[in-house]
Amino acid sequence: MLEANDGTYVVSALGGVGTGKSSLLNAITGEYTFETGDGTDAKTLTVEGKIKEWRFAPSQQFCHLIDTPGLVDSNIQDRHSIQEMTRYFKSLENGVSAFFLVFNINDIRLDAYTQNMLILFHQLLGKDFWNFVVIVFTHVDEDFRDDLEDNMDAVTASNDGFVAEIRRIYKLPRSFQPSVIFTSTQNVRSSSYTQRHMRELYMAVSLYETRNNGKRFTCNWLRQILTIPTEEQKSTFIKDSIKDAWSSVSNACQMQ
Ligand SMILES: Nc1nc2c(ncn2[C@@H]2O[C@H](COP(=O)(O)OP(=O)(O)OP(=O)(O)O)[C@@H](O)[C@H]2O)c(=O)[nH]1
Ligand SMILES: [Mg+2]
């Protein structure tokens, strides 16, 4: 069993149900590490972390991969999932190198539900969260790549693209230029196309480590949780914060 050390990259996949989070982490490891579903019902139900080698990195690199349940909508189940994620993240001494926000390229609308999900992360984790975000689009399979050109352009369009919209909605500075990776998660062992994208993803994380001067993501909220003496009090505090963040999400929606 591998153990994390200071050089181990810590990465987590976040996003809606069935977008390919578990498949993406599996592609990084080159093996079936996390269970995957069929994209309809939620498959990953708990937060799970594994330390593995980044299989197609240019040099040997270990990574602590954290798979999370897909968020479904603003409801009790999501609150529970976020509570579980918090429990896991607060136990990470070295912080997080990067969060992969995972979307399916066939569904690139920044709909209300996606916006709510992002507002919630923003509220709980703070603005600094965005400095650690890599945006990953799955389902860009090699055979269909040409047909998906329009969708890819719509993501990166500088004025009204997906990334520009995120910048506008969350009032992020122009310097918010996240790495955006378009990939397939399929057949990584045999497909040099998928392998190339896993290297690209690795380079994005490595770039963030350099850009953030080796400082990994943690935030006041997570630090605050660590100082609370008992597990029971921690749990109440986490629940209350999520409730507060959620009500500000609902208020924001009512105002729209
Ligand atoms: N063709 C294709 N299928 C993909 C790709 N990525 C994921 N899938 C399929 O999408 C379905 C859902 O993938 P998962 O990895 O289980 O998605 P998830 O986001 O972990 O889902 P939950 O855990 O339920 O939230 C599976 O059938 C995958 O095989 C991709 O890049 N290309
Ligand atoms: Mg999953």
Side-chain angles (χ1 to χ4, degrees):
M1 173 77 184
L2 292 170
E3 272 192 40
N5 60 41
D6 287 352
T8 304
Y9 285 175
V10 182
V11 295
S12 179
L14 309 175
V17 162
T19 51
K21 300 175 295 301
S22 306
S23 305
L24 177 74
L25 300 179
N26 289 346
I28 291 174
T29 65
E31 54 192 57
Y32 193 71
T33 305
F34 298 100
E35 266 194 275
T36 59
D38 62 9
T40 50
D41 293 330
K43 184 68 184 183
T44 306
L45 299 175
T46 58
V47 180
E48 196 184 356
K50 297 235 169 99
I51 296 168
K52 293 269 173 177
E53 195 173 336
W54 196 302
R55 181 72 191 275
F56 299 101
S59 56
Q60 191 180 52
Q61 176 66 48
F62 292 101
C63 48
H64 181 158
L65 304 158
I66 305 160
D67 196 13
T68 67
L71 299 177
V72 281
D73 212 337
S74 324
N75 63 21
I76 305 266
Q77 200 179 330
D78 283 354
R79 277 195 215 182
H80 178 77
S81 302
I82 290 181
Q83 205 174 317
E84 287 299 307
M85 289 179 205
T86 311
R87 231 183 258 286
Y88 198 98
F89 290 137
K90 81 170 164 52
S91 68
L92 292 169
E93 278 175 31
N94 296 323
V96 178
S97 314
F99 294 98
F100 301 149
L101 277 190
V102 182
F103 299 94
N104 181 330
I105 191 66
N106 297 298
D107 187 7
I108 57 167
R109 286 164 307 131
L110 204 52
D111 53 20
Y113 143 66
T114 311
Q115 290 185 29
N116 286 350
M117 176 181 91
L118 295 177
I119 292 179
L120 200 68
F121 288 131
H122 183 117
Q123 292 274 352
L124 292 171
L125 302 176
K127 253 189 171 174
D128 194 33
F129 162 71
W130 294 102
N131 289 325
F132 293 82
V133 162
V134 177
I135 301 182
V136 181
F137 288 90
T138 61
H139 290 74
V140 186
D141 297 349
E142 191 168 14
D143 292 350
F144 301 111
R145 196 172 172 104
D146 290 347
D147 302 333
L148 292 166
E149 285 293 338
D150 286 351
N151 280 19
M152 291 195 271
D153 289 346
V155 167
T156 47
S158 59
N159 288 326
D160 56 356
F162 189 91
V163 174
E165 277 292 280
I166 290 186
R167 201 183 289 123
R168 189 184 58 76
I169 295 170
Y170 306 104
K171 301 187 173 63
L172 303 172
R174 282 219 67 87
S175 57
F176 171 67
Q177 298 283 359
S179 294
V180 180
I181 309 282
F182 298 103
T183 186
S184 173
T185 67
Q186 309 292 285
N187 311 317
V188 70
R189 278 164 176 269
S190 57
S191 160
S192 58
Y193 171 87
T194 304
Q195 290 172 16
R196 177 153 43 94
H197 291 121
M198 290 308 112
R199 263 193 298 280
E200 214 181 293
L201 189 57
Y202 164 89
M203 295 309 288
V205 178
S206 151
L207 175 79
Y208 281 24
E209 290 262 303
T210 313
R211 195 187 62 188
N212 295 321
N213 296 320
K215 191 178 82 52
R216 292 183 170 175
F217 179 82
T218 183
C219 64
N220 283 339
W221 184 54
L222 293 177
R223 275 194 293 265
Q224 224 174 329
I225 297 170
L226 284 174
T227 62
I228 298 173
T230 70
E231 278 308 311
E232 200 183 328
Q233 285 168 321
K234 280 190 204 317
S235 172
T236 311
F237 176 78
I238 296 171
K239 266 193 218 148
D240 287 348
S241 323
I242 294 174
K243 205 159 77 191
D244 289 349
W246 213 281
S247 62
S248 62
V249 170
S250 325
N251 290 339
C253 294
Q254 278 161 15
M255 275 167 5
Q256 275 173 8

